[in-house]
Amino acid sequence: MKVLGIAGSMRRNRNTDALVGAILDVMTRIEPSFEADVVHTADLDVHPCRVVCHEAHCSVERFRCSISDDVGGVLDRMVEADALILAAPQYFRGPPAGFHTLIERLISMAYFHETAGHPAEGSPLLGKPCGLVGVCEYSDPQLILEYLRDVCALLSMNVVQLRTFPYLGVGAHGAVDQDEVFRPLDRTAELATGLIDAARAYRARGTA
Ligand SMILES: Cc1cc2nc3c(=O)[nH]c(=O)nc-3n(C[C@H](O)[C@H](O)[C@H](O)COP(=O)(O)O)c2cc1C
């Protein structure tokens, strides 16, 4: 089985990466057969959706885009994975532009195809289990977790929630090893076990 983390920070080896790494560590410790991989959006060549080209491209064929960059490769890795982790820090009230540009492209392709009259059921991301990580410093990580939940809704993926606060996913406020409110490092273990169960069920179903 495969799990893919998408780490949306522009900085390597900081809070977002630490939480994605902690979740993947627990998953591979519990289930050594899991292949863990991480996409760092800071390393990607990703361009914004052009929108005006959709009638000749993604409206006709789902996830076919007129732009040649790294989005197609990331999508292929998402489709191959049995579980995903979407992780983003907050930059000026929203996610980093590099992360959101990737998300905008993925959602645009799915949206234009569906609104051109094709059924949503054909999506290769339908029902994909997805854990969420939202990181901030002085704001509320709930904002980023809600943004990530909407991303999953727009891509027809299933959010793997926590049974404990903040429920939607791992939230972090400030340095992850000092946050006594959101307790992000404790929550990574809970999310990891939830993702393992969801990935097994997803694989057993063979689809959504
Ligand atoms: C450009 C920039 C903008 C930021 N804007 C916010 C913000 O609006 N609210 C907030 O709580 N933290 C903000 N922060 C702090 C980051 O969310 C915080 O440092 C987080 O840990 C960054 O993730 P990283 O450690 O993985 O790089 C900002 C940081 C940067 C670099």
Side-chain angles (χ1 to χ4, degrees):
M1 284 194 287
K2 291 185 178 176
V3 54
L4 177 69
I6 300 182
S9 176
M10 293 306 286
R11 303 187 288 202
R12 294 290 282 263
N13 304 317
R14 301 286 287 261
N15 292 316
T16 309
D17 284 10
L19 294 173
V20 173
I23 296 165
L24 294 176
D25 280 352
V26 177
M27 290 182 78
T28 50
R29 216 175 321 124
I30 294 174
E31 184 57 80
S33 66
F34 257 108
E35 271 178 57
D37 197 4
V38 182
V39 167
H40 296 273
T41 56
D43 296 343
L44 300 177
D45 173 34
V46 173
H47 299 265
C49 175
R50 293 188 187 124
V51 179
V52 290
C53 50
H54 74 88
E55 286 177 359
H57 295 274
C58 56
S59 287
V60 181
E61 193 180 329
R62 184 187 294 277
F63 291 122
R64 194 184 82 192
C65 186
S66 65
I67 303 172
S68 239
D69 58 13
D70 290 337
V71 174
V74 174
L75 175 65
D76 290 345
R77 290 161 78 181
M78 292 172 73
V79 171
E80 278 173 19
D82 299 288
L84 299 172
I85 301 163
L86 290 183
Q90 184 166 17
Y91 280 8
F92 307 127
R93 298 188 173 270
F99 179 82
H100 185 72
T101 305
L102 169 69
I103 295 300
E104 179 190 80
R105 288 275 299 289
L106 294 171
I107 292 174
S108 291
M109 288 189 275
Y111 173 81
F112 286 124
H113 190 259
E114 192 206 320
T115 54
H118 301 279
E121 282 67 33
S123 172
L125 296 175
L126 183 69
K128 188 79 72 181
C130 194
L132 311 181
V133 176
V135 177
C136 68
E137 192 168 335
Y138 49 86
S139 309
D140 183 344
Q142 183 72 14
L143 291 174
I144 287 291
L145 290 173
E146 288 177 0
Y147 158 84
L148 294 171
R149 177 184 58 189
D150 282 348
V151 169
C152 290
L154 287 157
L155 290 172
S156 304
M157 303 195 296
N158 278 350
V159 176
V160 176
Q161 290 203 183
L162 303 178
R163 291 196 193 89
T164 52
F165 178 82
Y167 311 110
L168 260 188
V170 175
H173 191 250
V176 292
D177 54 350
Q178 291 165 29
D179 180 357
E180 293 297 323
V181 175
F182 290 93
R183 308 186 72 83
L185 291 172
D186 295 343
R187 299 297 184 261
T188 55
E190 187 185 338
L191 185 55
T193 53
L195 279 169
I196 289 172
D197 291 346
R200 284 183 181 137
Y202 179 79
R203 172 59 76 94
R205 284 195 300 271
T207 177

